[in-house]
Amino acid sequence: MTKILIVEDDELVRDNIFDLLEAEGFEVMAAENGQQGLDLAIATTPDLILCDVVMPQLSGYEVLAAIRKNPLTAATPFILLTAKTAKEDFRMGMKLGAEDFLTKPCSRAELVAVIDTQLEKRQILQDTYTRQLQETQDQLNYLIYHDSLTQLPNRMSLQDRFSKIQRHAPQLKPGLSIPVYVLCLERLNRISDNFGYEYADLLLQQAAQRLKQEQGEQTYIAYVSFNQFVILSNRESQRQGAIARAEDILTFLQKPFVLNGQEAYVTASIGIALYPHNGDTLDILLNNAKAALNYAHTQGGNQYQFFTPTFSSNKTDTLAFEKSFRLALEQEEFQVYYQPRISLTTGKIIGAEALLRWFQPGAESVSPSQFIPLAEETGTIVSLGEWVLRTAARQAKLWMNQTQTPFYMAVNLSGRQFVRSDLSRNLAKILSEAELESRFLDLELTENILVKNPFVARQKLLALKSLGVNIAIDDFGTGYSSLAYLQQFPFDILKIDRCFIRNIASQEKNAAIVTAILQMAHNLQLKVIAEGVETINELEFLQDHPCDEIQGFLFSRPLPAHEFSKFLEQKGEVNFLGQ
Ligand code: C2E
Ligand code: CA
Ligand code: CA
């Protein structure tokens, strides 16, 4: 309730005003002299003071002067009650800071009007003041908590957010973690060298914008130091989820930026540390994510890397692998082997699948299922895979020239290769250098590569297909997605995984599955290849149902190129089905 203080020595006037104001609904206090009024004002900080001018001891002016001096009451509206209407009185009162005057005796209406005006004024002042204070505080907060270049939250706010997340997620289910991504743009130095610092700044600003737009509400994006973005999700996720997000980010940052009307392309790398597995404080997590980021750089950039303890403590393992891997590439310890593909329509060899082999000196050959996951993890698969593509494309051309018949070459593509933005470009180059028509190249992908980020995958596949190559879904049936789901991806070939072909003739369940797959695939106009055909019974089943192509030890194991050439020479015209 609005509090009004009356200071008036004339009892009659005082009581009269008291009653009037009380009837108006104010909380009213009264003092019968100046000193008492002053004490009461300071003790109760009323919203408005009505004060007589002429009083014994302390006059109204003196009360007013003292009221204005005290910070508690300095802004309280003060209305002088006066019997005189002399000009000097007004001037004196105004000089001391009175808001208004009332000449006694005054009517109820006069009184209420003056009081209302003053209270209103006071309210407006107070509101303005509060708003300004709030604005200043907000500005200050913003400055303290944001980076001035990108306008993103800074290191300090990141810490706040992280603590909040930590409080809300004290116990994460096994397999779940909260990923912390550290991202930096690559070639930024080159951009500022070529175009100036403003360009680099602009680029950082636009990258910040894009990260914010693409990542949505659930994600916190901070800029913690020059060219270092931190992305923090407040939801826990599985490793797969973290991978998908990292790939997603890399992909959308590859879209061109427009800087002062000019298009600029950048790549980024990301280091990922998982909370709580890789650290339980933000400092540790950021350090570890940065270690992973550095590693991503040494791998050529434009990629993500998860932190592994080897980055910090013993780097030797992965590094040793790395080293032997690079050496192996140089010293040609890798070879591409080729497994013939037999057409069930003609019974003849119509192509091959390229399969990688690693022969370390003095050791048995290492199986691709052993080293490919490591190569994937370290990123080396990218250069290795490119080498396989180039080798296989050239080889296909040679064999096509040798036999003068079409020859379809299938090459396995790893997820890491698939997400690269330069895949289509490189592929086009490889094909043209090998002078191989694109329709003779089949790219084999497993469904897990596609379902991680279906939207991006679809776009990528369309881009690849526009080159004219064929897309095959490899290991079909071993994943978790249905054909109905996979249908959204534009592929041409379906490869039924070996595990369904095994004992197909005797195992009812496998037979039923394969029959169903064949039917569905043919309805969708897909070519079907069965892999891992080892027995005559399996072959016969597939001929009956029918399947388009087969691969397997029944006809040939994967062979080195020269042996495959001989095989072609001898059996190129042979009908393997003996019809
Ligand atoms: P995949 O693509 O499913 O390749 C088929 C695998 O089945 C090959 O194993 C092949 O040797 C084997 N195979 C073929 N016929 C038969 C058969 O009748 N019986 C049995 N038991 N196995 C048969 P390999 O060569 O050890 O390759 C294993 C996997 O490594 C491949 O599986 C593929 O996922 C990957 N891989 C191989 N080369 C490359 C490559 O150049 N790039 C990538 N990204 N992955 C590759
Ligand atoms: Ca394959
Ligand atoms: Ca396969």
Side-chain angles (χ1 to χ4, degrees):
M1 216 198 286
T2 311
K3 278 187 290 186
I4 295 183
L5 171 65
I6 310 164
V7 188
E8 169 65 77
D9 60 333
D10 184 327
E11 193 181 349
L12 209 69
V13 178
R14 189 170 70 233
D15 287 351
N16 184 15
I17 299 180
F18 194 105
D19 293 344
L20 257 171
L21 291 181
E22 212 169 41
E24 287 296 322
F26 294 110
E27 181 185 345
V28 195
M29 294 168 297
E32 55 192 45
N33 62 54
Q35 188 59 52
Q36 204 185 48
L38 188 57
D39 293 344
L40 210 56
I42 290 164
T44 61
T45 60
D47 298 294
L48 184 142
I49 299 169
L50 287 166
C51 184
D52 188 18
V53 175
V54 186
M55 288 182 294
Q57 293 169 23
L58 226 50
S59 76
Y61 297 136
E62 287 167 307
V63 174
L64 174 56
I67 288 279
R68 287 291 177 254
K69 255 191 217 145
N70 191 310
L72 279 175
T73 52
T76 312
F78 199 96
I79 297 168
L80 281 167
L81 300 168
T82 169
K84 306 183 272 175
T85 46
K87 265 194 180 154
E88 312 82 75
D89 278 338
F90 282 110
R91 226 171 270 137
M92 183 65 177
M94 296 300 272
K95 199 174 147 201
L96 287 170
E99 265 68 28
D100 210 342
F101 290 85
L102 270 171
T103 314
K104 292 185 285 189
C106 61
S107 70
R108 182 194 147 278
E110 270 177 311
L111 182 66
V112 170
V114 168
I115 288 177
D116 277 354
T117 310
Q118 289 312 318
L119 286 176
E120 235 167 71
K121 265 193 198 165
R122 181 183 138 96
Q123 191 59 50
I124 291 167
L125 269 175
Q126 240 167 17
D127 290 351
T128 313
Y129 176 72
T130 325
R131 206 186 56 237
Q132 280 171 350
L133 195 71
Q134 188 61 49
E135 277 171 12
T136 318
Q137 224 156 46
D138 289 350
Q139 274 167 10
L140 205 67
N141 266 337
Y142 190 85
L143 286 176
I144 293 173
Y145 284 105
H146 287 79
D147 162 64
S148 56
L149 175 70
T150 58
Q151 306 302 323
L152 287 176
N154 60 12
R155 175 76 173 79
M156 192 137 93
S157 27
L158 179 67
Q159 180 62 61
D160 278 5
R161 175 58 67 103
F162 179 76
S163 307
K164 234 178 255 166
I165 290 175
Q166 210 172 16
R167 257 179 277 131
H168 287 123
Q171 257 190 342
L172 288 163
K173 289 196 202 98
L176 291 184
S177 56
I178 293 177
V180 179
Y181 306 80
V182 174
L183 178 147
C184 84
L185 301 182
E186 284 154 341
R187 304 190 313 139
L188 203 64
N189 285 341
R190 231 172 67 197
I191 288 179
S192 50
D193 284 351
N194 289 347
F195 303 103
Y197 281 108
E198 321 81 78
Y199 264 71
D201 282 354
L202 257 175
L203 187 63
L204 285 165
Q205 284 168 341
Q206 289 195 14
Q209 276 297 322
R210 196 177 286 179
L211 281 167
K212 249 169 69 176
Q213 273 163 13
E214 301 275 349
Q215 287 299 284
E217 302 269 293
Q218 292 296 323
T219 309
Y220 195 73
I221 302 183
Y223 187 75
V224 295
S225 67
F226 179 72
N227 195 12
Q228 245 171 43
F229 296 88
V230 174
I231 298 152
L232 183 64
S233 169
N234 54 10
R235 283 221 206 104
E236 64 271 25
S237 72
Q238 290 183 327
R239 196 181 165 91
Q240 274 309 321
I243 291 175
R245 183 191 286 263
E247 284 172 351
D248 194 30
I249 295 172
L250 290 181
T251 309
F252 69 65
L253 283 177
Q254 279 164 6
K255 284 184 277 177
F257 290 92
V258 180
L259 307 175
N260 293 347
Q262 256 176 305
E263 275 197 351
Y265 292 84
V266 279
T267 54
S269 276
I270 301 176
I272 310 169
L274 302 175
Y275 168 79
H277 311 80
N278 303 146
D280 53 9
T281 68
L282 184 62
D283 277 338
I284 297 176
L285 287 163
L286 288 183
N287 274 340
N288 287 343
K290 280 180 210 165
L293 177 67
N294 287 336
Y295 189 66
H297 285 313
T298 63
Q299 296 309 297
N302 192 16
Q303 57 181 282
Y304 63 87
Q305 288 288 344
F306 280 91
F307 171 77
T308 69
T310 46
F311 291 156
S312 57
S313 52
N314 81 77
K315 291 188 176 165
T316 41
D317 271 359
T318 23
L319 283 186
F321 172 77
E322 267 288 295
K323 218 171 140 192
S324 56
F325 216 95
R326 287 194 187 284
L327 216 69
L329 257 177
E330 271 167 34
Q331 313 204 325
E332 303 180 358
E333 290 171 17
F334 289 107
Q335 269 192 51
V336 182
Y337 271 46
Y338 301 90
Q339 182 173 43
R341 294 161 55 177
I342 313 292
S343 157
L344 284 185
T345 325
T346 63
K348 291 185 187 159
I349 302 172
I350 64 156
E353 176 178 13
L355 293 157
L356 198 54
R357 295 289 177 265
W358 185 1
F359 297 95
Q360 284 179 302
E364 285 273 61
S365 85
V366 193
S367 154
S369 358
Q370 273 177 340
F371 66 80
I372 283 183
L374 254 173
E376 285 249 348
E377 204 161 292
T378 54
T380 27
I381 190 72
V382 176
S383 45
L384 189 60
E386 216 179 288
W387 175 77
V388 175
L389 268 169
R390 199 174 310 119
T391 312
R394 284 186 191 147
Q395 195 61 68
K397 180 70 181 178
L398 284 177
W399 284 329
M400 206 146 13
N401 287 343
Q402 180 187 328
T403 59
Q404 293 297 310
T405 41
F407 190 97
Y408 293 91
M409 182 62 84
V411 178
N412 294 284
L413 210 61
S414 99
R416 285 300 276 272
Q417 280 175 283
F418 184 65
V419 297
R420 300 279 302 199
S421 59
D422 52 10
L423 176 63
S424 287
R425 210 175 333 130
N426 285 344
L427 198 61
K429 199 166 150 230
I430 286 170
L431 286 169
S432 90
E433 280 172 1
E435 297 180 296
L436 180 70
E437 263 183 75
S438 55
R439 66 191 173 102
F440 293 117
L441 182 68
D442 302 340
L443 293 178
E444 298 196 1
L445 288 156
T446 51
E447 65 189 72
N448 60 334
I449 297 174
L450 304 179
V451 300
K452 261 185 235 162
N453 192 336
F455 179 76
V456 175
R458 221 182 97 80
Q459 302 305 316
K460 287 225 139 200
L461 287 182
L462 288 173
L464 288 175
K465 278 188 63 97
S466 72
L467 290 178
V469 300
N470 310 300
I471 309 291
I473 289 272
D474 205 352
D475 302 346
F476 183 77
T478 56
Y480 37 80
S481 31
S482 64
L483 187 54
Y485 176 75
L486 288 175
Q487 216 186 307
Q488 64 174 303
F489 302 109
F491 56 89
D492 315 281
I493 303 167
L494 188 153
K495 290 190 86 170
I496 306 179
D497 191 70
R498 203 162 72 225
C499 65
F500 296 110
I501 305 300
R502 197 172 305 140
N503 306 324
I504 201 175
S506 56
Q507 279 192 9
E508 267 173 37
K509 201 171 146 219
N510 276 357
I513 291 172
V514 172
T515 312
I517 293 175
L518 280 166
Q519 222 162 47
M520 279 190 295
H522 283 143
N523 285 343
L524 295 169
Q525 323 285 321
L526 297 173
K527 183 158 127 184
V528 185
I529 304 178
E531 52 180 6
V533 180
E534 294 188 1
T535 67
I536 295 281
N537 285 342
E538 291 162 4
L539 170 66
E540 277 171 359
F541 182 93
L542 291 164
Q543 275 182 292
D544 286 343
H545 275 81
C547 181
D548 302 289
E549 252 182 69
I550 47 171
Q551 265 176 255
F553 293 173
L554 179 62
F555 302 108
S556 173
R557 290 180 176 264
L559 303 170
H562 62 276
E563 275 187 53
F564 195 101
S565 294
K566 264 191 249 157
F567 190 77
L568 261 185
E569 239 167 69
Q570 294 161 2
K571 311 227 171 127
E573 289 309 307
V574 171
N575 184 335
F576 282 89
L577 307 174
Q579 287 152 352

